[in-house]
Amino acid sequence: MAITGSGSLAVSLSVFVISAAFLPKVEGQNLAADNVSVIEGETATISCRVKNNDDSVIQLLNPNRQTIYFKDVRPLKDSRFQLVNFSDNELRVSLSNVSLSDEGRYVCQLYTDPPQEAYADITVLVPPGSPIIESREDVVSEGNETELTCTAMGSKPAASIRWMKGEEELTGETTVEETYDRMFTVTSRVKFSVTKEDDGVPVDCIIDHPAVKDLLAQRHLEVLYKPEVKIVVTYPEGLTREGDNLDLSCIADGKPHPHQINWLRVDEDVPPHAVVTGSDLYIENLNKSYNGTYRCVASNAVGEAYDDYILYVYDAPTTIPTPTTNPVNTQDSRAGEGAPQKIDHAVIGGVVAVVMFAILCALIVLGRYFARHKGTYFTHEAKGADDAADADTAIINAEGGHNNTDEKKEYYI
């Protein structure tokens, strides 16, 4: 008897139902599967794992409940699905060139009584396109505020955006827009004031997304700032004295470069014979009437700035230094000559002090000696006059004393 195609299908379904009704009961069997995240265009792998399998059949179904693999047979006509491994404990299948339409819940089935199912959710990641960074103005002046906008388009899930200015992190305002195809567009805006130090500093728009790394857009700031001015004394190197010449140079830098540099004397006129050449000021044959504050003023499109130099003219030197054969060692030779002179003066002063002290001591000793030996002395004629009644008797008494010559000795110092 011939069997038609429809009869064959009925017989097959009947056999499958009868077989399923008599599936063995297996105690302790566990079916497991893991969720998968895959970048669009890459390959996803789905693994159905069984613990303690007892010849039960494993199959894999797509989100529409269509059988992808029944054991090691692929009924679904999609060549992107390929068998990686089949055993009693695992059915592993790969899906290449994943697209958003492949996203969903895949089912691992184990034919036991009752049947077991495990689920593997495939999430498709779509990286954003190259970020676009835009500025409200291309050039900004110092002290003003600028605004930058960064856009990351066509990502899934939505990207996050961070801002960095040099080493400083900035905080932006972010908006997220979902498109019709379940994709997202993210826009972030940041505002900040700039200074002259920000000129040339890079501002980075950094994209964070699980499907991509190191994705950023960069823009360098261009800041205009007023000049920075500094006066440098070219001549003389030391003090400015009467009769000297004075040469001043004005160094000015800014963005844009200063288009005008002027010299002036605060509250007074510049000396009539002063010469201004570009950014230099030259004054010859200085005198005290030139004392004052000299100012260099530089200006550009942003503004102007200045620096001051205070001139004080000292008296001309009154002595002319003695020329030497070796000018390099002049200071050393003078220092060497000065040291012995200081020592000679000290020695002379010491000697004088010692001599004066010795003379003073001698005068004191002599004074004390004469004070001790001061008294009354008598001549031979006067001796005994105090005891005589008259002059004759005194003379006789005095002459009588000549016999004892030892007692009449007198000593004079």
Side-chain angles (χ1 to χ4, degrees), residues 255-275:
K255 190 172 183 179
H257 191 76
H259 62 270
Q260 187 173 6
I261 297 178
N262 295 323
W263 281 96
L264 58 91
R265 186 180 180 188
V266 179
D267 299 330
E268 294 182 74
D269 294 332
V270 176
H273 64 280
V275 178

Side-chain angles (χ1 to χ4, degrees), residues 375-386 408-410 412:
T376 304
Y377 296 90
F378 300 95
T379 62
H380 294 290
E381 293 78 10
K383 187 175 181 181
D386 291 338
K408 295 180 182 179
K409 291 180 180 180
E410 293 180 357
Y412 297 91

